[in-house]
Amino acid sequence: MRYRRITKAVNRRFWNYESDTAHSLYVVSYGRGTAINTSDIDILMLLPNTAKRRFDAYAQNGQSALLQVVG
């Protein structure tokens, strides 16, 4: 459920697209199928090049700024 909620928020914000599965992959324990119910979720999200360049241009805390936009 968390995966779909996060994926949908990213897709809506960066792709203007209503999908809870597109542009994302489970990675690490969920991706391997070895997660337990207390595992955190590691998601690899594909962003448009314009968004990547925007956050890469931050002198500091670009990753944090990205999370704030999605949150």
Side-chain angles (χ1 to χ4, degrees), residues 1 4-5 7-9 11 15 19 24 27 38 40 42-44 46-47 51 56-57 61-62 64 68-69:
M1 195 60 122
R4 290 181 180 274
R5 190 171 56 245
T7 299
K8 189 172 185 174
N11 279 324
W15 295 99
S19 173
S24 67
V27 292
T38 59
D40 62 340
D42 298 291
I43 304 171
L44 179 67
L46 178 66
L47 297 177
D56 282 349
N61 298 326
S64 178
Q68 295 302 314
V69 169

Side-chain angles (χ1 to χ4, degrees), residues 49-62:
N49 287 333
T50 54
K52 182 184 180 324
R53 284 192 299 269
R54 182 173 124 208
F55 291 103
D56 282 349
Y58 279 57
Q60 295 180 334
N61 298 326

